[in-house]
Amino acid sequence: MHTPSPQLLRALRTSISTTSTATLRGSLRTSTPISRITSPCAAISNTLPSRRHNTTSVSRPTRMIPRSHSAKPTSHDRGPTSNESTQTDFAALNVLGSVPPPTTAIEATLDDGFHLDNGLRVEGGDGLLLVGGEAFAWRPWEVTAGGKMGMVNKKGQFEVDEQVWGLLNAVWPRPDLLVIGMGATMVPLSPDTKRHINSLGVRVEVLDTRNAAAQFNLLATERGVSEVAAAMIPIGFKGR
């Protein structure tokens, strides 16, 4: 067997190199580019709905309408009257409904006085003192230095002379509670005045005159006029 000539070996090398280059080019044409290869994670993300920029999504939250903006009922009719024996009679729940109010109950609070249920009228700017079922005209500013302006101290507290409460010291038995109406607005009670009233064995509650009158009417009806007293300053009173 003869050794291949150099020309034959060169031709074989040329043929092999040309074939491998053509095969590589063909494989590159038929292969998928790296940038286009779809990974499993990408496939999963493509199947999930995107809600970040989807304004027409069905799961868009519904705007809640406040109750005050909802439509109000056009009728107060609750239907036919119930004939059930178990229905609640709310009128029967008023335990004081059959109890007559005291004759000294305050019917109206005026700018310069008061009207009582017994027909008595306190006018002319007088205050009102209700103790033991009796009504008295009350002018505490006449025994206080400085008149009406002197009833409120520098700290903005209601402070009067002890003589103002002399009637509470004279009656027996003394009331358990004194309701004080301070006028159009409530003024705090000074510690000295509160301490003196408490020393008589009487508790004290301070309100503006309108609320104090309602409180007295309720408590006097419930507990009796011997247990509850009231000291009222007219609404027109200005302590400052």
Side-chain angles (χ1 to χ4, degrees):
M1 184 174 182
H2 299 284
T3 303
S5 62
Q7 292 82 4
L8 178 61
L9 291 176
R10 190 179 297 110
L12 288 174
R13 290 191 188 99
T14 304
S15 176
I16 293 173
S17 62
T18 304
T19 304
S20 60
T21 302
T23 304
L24 178 60
R25 291 177 179 176
S27 62
L28 290 176
R29 292 191 187 97
T30 58
S31 61
T32 305
I34 296 177
S35 60
R36 298 181 181 178
I37 296 177
T38 304
S39 65
C41 295
I44 294 175
S45 62
N46 290 335
T47 60
L48 295 176
S50 177
R51 299 181 181 178
R52 178 175 298 179
H53 304 289
N54 187 5
T55 58
T56 60
S57 176
V58 178
S59 60
R60 183 180 180 183
T62 306
R63 180 176 179 271
M64 300 299 293
I65 301 176
R67 186 181 296 273
S68 59
H69 295 169
S70 59
K72 297 182 180 180
T74 58
S75 174
H76 296 284
D77 184 17
R78 297 182 178 270
T81 304
S82 176
N83 295 323
E84 297 180 2
S85 59
T86 58
Q87 62 181 345
T88 303
D89 184 7
F90 291 99
L93 297 179
N94 185 9
V95 296
L96 300 178
S98 59
V99 180
T103 57
T104 54
I106 302 175
E107 182 181 24
T109 56
L110 307 179
D111 188 66
D112 63 342
F114 304 87
H115 290 178
L116 304 184
D117 277 0
N118 59 8
L120 179 65
R121 296 188 177 186
V122 179
E123 298 175 344
D126 288 347
L128 179 66
L129 188 61
L130 303 173
V131 180
E134 301 290 338
F136 303 89
W138 188 51
R139 300 179 68 89
W141 49 83
E142 290 187 350
V143 295
T144 303
K148 290 186 177 181
M149 299 296 294
M151 294 176 62
V152 179
N153 61 20
K154 296 180 180 179
K155 297 181 179 180
Q157 301 169 339
F158 182 80
E159 185 173 7
V160 292
D161 193 272
E162 295 181 359
Q163 301 179 33
V164 172
W165 315 108
L167 185 61
L168 294 178
N169 195 23
V171 299
W172 186 264
R174 294 193 182 100
D176 176 67
L177 176 65
L178 174 66
V179 181
I180 302 179
M182 291 293 183
T185 58
M186 189 183 74
V187 179
L189 199 63
S190 71
D192 291 340
T193 300
K194 183 177 181 180
R195 189 179 303 110
H196 174 71
I197 297 174
N198 291 339
S199 68
L200 300 175
V202 181
R203 296 183 296 112
V204 61
E205 182 175 354
V206 179
L207 298 166
D208 63 274
T209 296
R210 285 191 177 91
N211 288 321
Q215 183 78 333
F216 170 78
N217 292 344
L218 175 63
L219 296 178
T221 303
E222 178 184 359
R223 302 174 55 183
V225 292
S226 62
E227 293 289 332
V228 183
M232 302 287 173
I233 296 175
I235 297 176
F237 167 77
K238 299 185 183 299
R240 294 182 184 273

